[in-house]
Amino acid sequence: MIDIEKEAARIAEQGECAPRLARDPVNLPMINNWLEAIGDEHPGYTEVAPPAMVQVWTMGGLRGQRSADDPLGAMMAVLDEAGYTSVVATNSDQTYHRYLEVGEHLSVTTSLEDVTGPKRTGLGEGWFVTTRSTWWVGDEAVAEMRFRVLKYKPAQKPEPKREAPRAQAIRPSVNRDTEYFWEGTRRGELRIQRCGGCGLLRHPPGPMCPECGATKPKYLVSEGYGVVYSYVVHHHPQVPGKQTPFVVALVELDEGVRMLGELDGEPSVGLPVEVVFTKVDDELTMPSWRPRADR
Amino acid sequence: MNAAIAGIGATDFSKDSGRSELQLAAEAVRAALDDAGLEPSDVDGLVSFTMDTNAEIAVARELGVPELTFFSRVHYGGGAACATVQQAAMAVETGAAEVVVCYRAFNERSGHRFGQVQTAAAANIDNSWSYPMGLGTPAAMVAMFARRYMHEYGATSEDFGRIAVIDRKHAATNPHAWFHGRPITLEDHQSSRWIAEPLRLLDCCQESDGGVALVVTSAERARDLPNRPAHVRAAAQGSGADQFTMTSYYRDDLTGLPEMGVVARGLWERSGIGPSDVDVAVLYDHFTPFVLVQLEELGFCGRGEARDLVASGALELDGTLPLNPHGGQLGEAYLHGMNGIAEAVRQVRGTAVNQVAGVEHVLVTAGTGVPTSGLVLGRG
């Protein structure tokens, strides 16, 4: 196991990387290209550059390589190694001390400011990495930036996944003994058969109570909460309507019966889950599980 | 029981037989009759699995069997294997038939593969609580048990892997085995890909084309036939409380196979022997975790202790309980357990390629996770 916090502390302790010199001095052709691309028609940028362009001057170019002591590169490598392989920039705050004049040659230094996590996000579990960069002209600091990225493990099932293959999903067969259940899921209710004679709760259901022999099954509506009793991560072969790998969990509901369903989340035995209903079409709504939002 | 297996026969075991399932069945039955020194005209009973596509009358037509007085089928996939012999033995004992052939033949690899998702199976109401949720293969269904077993007893993937290593080691010296000459190491097992976590590829048995047949007749008649009879010392079927096919997930406990416990009680009571009297164990091994659970259900060790028994070396050919000397289904071929019964007969005869010395009693089990069956065969 990689100790991410320890690695972060080690990288932060190295402080600022060596100054990296911009490829070109501040120049008019690049300013004009930038103004056009951004759609900025302000006529004043003939001798000074737009402040928001500051990052542009020290970009690495198409085939740029991070320097060996670049703290963001080092931290990304640590997180890649730990399985957090995807990245998204979340925010940046820039401070400009003055306008940059055409002909000035910039350099930039960067340090690692903060690494926090692991956090559960919509994209998946990840770490927020914040760096601080300073641009220099000689030994004068001309601009600063705090830059934050989320480095994350992509969630097991991105949203669109549920959409495409629904048409081929395996459908349950429904008969007189089981139709109450599927009618329930259509209405957003997870129904558990309850014997009209002795009150026995039973899943999967059947027409005759094995406890008292009554043939008048009723149902109660489950609160929809339970814990994972066991689970499978299915890899092979392909399953119609599913994208591998996916998790199927056997959940023990708080009411006491067990029920199978797909689980959208990192599985473990004992994980508290709640029911989710996914509409396949007008006839069929499938119940599945996700980790309890309040736990 | 007053019945014995007097003949065994099989086709080659392959991945693509190149012939119809009926031809495989007919070839296997003819081979078994040849082995028993009997003619098709001696046969008056046929038994198979409900899953077999070859009707008894079709097999009888191909063989030229003139009349049948007994024909029967057993349900629940591989759980039927030993029960076919039980059906045959009961028919012989009651006089319903004199010579009954049990057969199973399929193109399970080149044709209809059980390891794929059986979309049509969801038409079954029981399966409507599993297949639509994405639990649609035997491997995944067993994996659900295996995960809970690991959770309760601390068993690991390596504990499962040791079963595969033993089977493949035995298959390596069996020329009839698909994996002849191809043993594996525990490292091979551990590096094989996930199929349905916690099951890896090498926890799952291969898929095969082929056929196996067994000739059952009375002990008296068997005595006059060419081969040493393998007496049916006991045969038993078992189904447990709240039983489902592969998905008995709603019982209090998910770490046992109570249906195999029912079979075990029947076998020990009727044969008069116990676990310590077993010289060879041919245990159904479609997926490794259930071999461990069977060892516990059959009384070879306590609950959760099978991994220690396996690690002790007891299941090696020179151990106290040699397991699947032919290589099992993981190593020899997947013939729905029928090739395991044939191996048990060879062990009793003393003609197996990996022969265990001084065999008196062989235990055979059928498919697990489903209502199942078992046999004790002996020298009689």
Side-chain angles (χ1 to χ4, degrees):
Chain A
M1 281 295 285
I2 299 165
D3 187 335
I4 290 167
E5 283 169 346
K6 196 170 139 199
E7 291 295 310
R10 179 182 61 77
I11 295 165
E13 210 163 274
Q14 292 167 2
E16 297 211 312
C17 63
R20 187 163 55 78
L21 198 63
R23 187 160 62 177
D24 300 305
V26 175
N27 63 84
L28 208 51
M30 191 64 88
I31 291 171
N32 286 333
N33 287 339
W34 191 87
L35 290 171
E36 258 181 43
I38 297 293
D40 187 341
E41 292 172 4
H42 192 283
Y45 298 120
T46 53
E47 286 170 12
V48 296
M53 246 187 108
V54 64
Q55 233 181 322
V56 171
W57 303 116
T58 50
M59 280 183 173
L62 271 185
R63 276 166 288 278
Q65 300 264 327
R66 287 182 189 279
S67 60
D69 64 346
D70 176 67
L72 186 57
M75 196 61 223
M76 295 294 100
V78 168
L79 288 165
D80 276 334
E81 183 78 6
Y84 298 91
T85 52
S86 294
V87 67
V88 61
T90 59
N91 50 305
S92 72
D93 302 307
Q94 299 184 343
T95 308
Y96 318 112
H97 298 311
R98 66 166 174 82
Y99 284 103
L100 302 178
E101 293 172 20
V102 170
E104 286 185 313
H105 208 145
L106 271 69
S107 64
V108 64
T109 58
T110 303
S111 61
L112 181 66
E113 191 172 271
D114 186 45
V115 176
T116 28
K119 303 271 190 197
R120 270 184 182 270
T121 75
L123 290 169
E125 186 188 283
W127 294 72
F128 287 98
V129 177
T130 311
T131 53
R132 191 179 183 82
S133 297
T134 307
W135 283 271
W136 307 83
V137 173
D139 55 5
E140 180 195 2
V142 292
E144 279 149 38
M145 174 175 72
R146 185 173 280 122
F147 183 63
R148 183 170 295 144
V149 299
L150 170 66
K151 190 81 173 129
Y152 65 100
K153 287 180 185 167
Q156 279 206 322
K157 289 194 287 112
E159 275 317 304
K161 209 181 262 185
R162 286 180 176 278
E163 305 299 330
R166 271 187 205 167
Q168 345 145 8
I170 297 178
R171 303 180 73 93
S173 52
V174 179
N175 70 7
R176 285 187 175 144
D177 300 331
T178 68
E179 63 187 356
Y180 78 94
F181 181 87
W182 301 105
E183 183 192 305
T185 59
R186 279 196 296 273
R187 295 173 183 213
E189 295 179 356
L190 191 65
R191 296 176 177 178
I192 303 171
Q193 187 180 63
R194 178 171 55 187
C195 175
C198 69
L200 179 80
L201 295 182
R202 187 182 180 203
H203 185 88
M208 180 179 285
C209 177
E211 201 69 36
C212 75
T215 53
K216 43 182 177 186
K218 300 185 180 339
Y219 65 82
L220 64 74
V221 176
S222 166
E223 296 294 324
Y225 296 117
V227 296
V228 171
Y229 188 79
S230 191
Y231 66 91
V232 169
V233 185
H234 187 100
H235 294 261
H236 297 286
Q238 290 303 314
V239 177
K242 309 282 181 194
Q243 291 206 357
T244 52
F246 62 90
V247 180
V248 182
L250 177 64
V251 166
E252 193 151 277
L253 290 170
D254 289 355
E255 290 84 358
V257 301
R258 292 190 202 129
M259 205 178 279
L260 288 168
E262 197 171 347
L263 169 63
D264 191 357
E266 192 69 30
S268 62
V269 173
L271 178 75
V273 295
E274 60 191 11
V275 72
V276 191
F277 295 100
T278 306
K279 184 175 174 176
V280 177
D281 53 36
D282 286 347
E283 289 291 303
L284 179 62
T285 294
M286 289 300 298
S288 60
W289 318 110
R290 69 178 173 210
R292 272 187 80 156
D294 57 347
R295 296 289 169 95
Chain B
M1 300 183 94
N2 180 31
I5 301 177
I8 55 176
T11 64
D12 55 313
F13 302 138
S14 73
K15 301 298 176 190
D16 186 0
S17 73
R19 44 215 203 268
S20 70
E21 294 189 334
L22 182 56
Q23 184 174 340
L24 293 175
E27 287 180 17
V29 173
R30 188 170 286 279
L33 289 171
D34 287 348
D35 182 63
L38 293 170
E39 295 297 325
S41 56
D42 292 312
V43 176
D44 52 4
L46 287 170
V47 184
S48 190
F49 297 46
T50 48
M51 279 185 81
D52 201 277
T53 62
N54 305 296
E56 300 92 310
I57 54 173
V59 172
R61 282 198 309 266
E62 297 314 301
L63 270 295
V65 172
E67 293 178 338
L68 291 174
T69 60
F70 177 76
F71 28 95
S72 176
R73 295 273 185 140
V74 186
H75 261 310
Y76 309 117
C82 296
T84 62
V85 175
Q86 184 186 32
Q87 290 281 303
M90 290 193 298
V92 167
E93 287 209 0
T94 59
E98 280 187 35
V99 174
V100 183
V101 184
C102 309
Y103 64 91
R104 180 77 176 108
F106 52 28
N107 285 321
E108 196 281 327
R109 180 60 181 79
S110 66
H112 179 75
R113 299 176 63 181
F114 303 163
Q116 302 297 308
V117 181
Q118 312 298 320
T119 308
N124 175 304
I125 282 284
D126 282 355
N127 291 342
S128 291
W129 307 111
S130 52
Y131 281 67
M133 289 73 179
L135 199 72
T137 63
M141 291 168 187
V142 172
M144 193 68 80
F145 285 95
R147 170 67 63 191
R148 188 70 200 185
Y149 182 85
M150 293 166 94
H151 177 78
E152 299 251 355
Y153 294 130
T156 65
S157 170
E158 292 195 344
D159 294 323
F160 301 152
R162 288 190 182 91
I163 297 296
V165 171
I166 290 169
D167 270 352
R168 291 288 293 269
K169 180 178 174 184
H170 296 170
T173 52
N174 172 8
H176 299 291
W178 179 258
F179 288 112
H180 177 232
R182 286 182 281 173
I184 58 167
T185 63
L186 195 55
E187 291 68 37
D188 293 332
H189 172 272
Q190 287 294 297
S191 59
S192 67
R193 65 183 169 134
W194 291 120
I195 296 299
E197 289 177 57
L199 296 196
R200 299 176 182 280
L201 178 67
L202 292 176
D203 288 308
C204 307
C205 84
Q206 62 188 317
E207 297 185 283
S208 306
D209 285 7
V212 173
L214 312 161
V215 179
V216 177
T217 189
S218 66
E220 294 75 35
R221 187 155 181 186
R223 203 174 297 132
D224 299 330
L225 296 173
N227 287 301
R228 177 197 289 273
H231 291 273
V232 181
R233 292 290 310 275
Q237 275 187 296
S239 166
D242 210 11
Q243 180 80 52
F244 283 76
T245 301
M246 298 301 287
T247 55
S248 300
Y249 297 151
Y250 312 99
R251 297 162 166 166
D252 289 345
D253 179 34
L254 214 61
T255 58
L257 289 165
E259 54 279 4
M260 191 58 81
V262 175
V263 169
R265 281 205 314 273
L267 292 179
W268 304 143
E269 278 171 25
R270 288 169 219 164
S271 68
I273 69 162
S276 61
D277 301 311
V278 172
D279 301 306
V280 174
V282 178
L283 302 185
Y284 199 93
D285 56 345
H286 53 357
F287 300 101
T288 57
F290 276 166
V291 175
L292 272 67
V293 183
Q294 286 185 81
L295 289 166
E296 296 166 12
E297 288 289 351
L298 291 159
F300 292 108
C301 59
R303 299 278 172 196
E305 294 172 2
R307 62 194 178 119
D308 302 321
L309 181 67
V310 175
S312 76
L315 308 186
E316 303 286 341
L317 286 177
D318 59 358
T320 52
L321 186 69
L323 173 76
N324 300 343
H326 60 315
Q329 303 192 94
L330 283 155
E332 189 184 65
Y334 175 66
L335 262 297
H336 243 166
M338 294 295 269
N339 50 325
I341 303 174
E343 169 65 9
V345 171
R346 286 189 294 266
Q347 289 288 341
V348 169
R349 289 180 180 177
T351 59
V353 287
N354 294 320
Q355 182 64 45
V356 173
V359 172
E360 286 291 329
H361 300 108
V362 183
L363 170 73
V364 194
T365 60
T368 44
V370 293
T372 187
S373 54
L375 289 172
V376 174
L377 300 182
R379 293 206 161 195

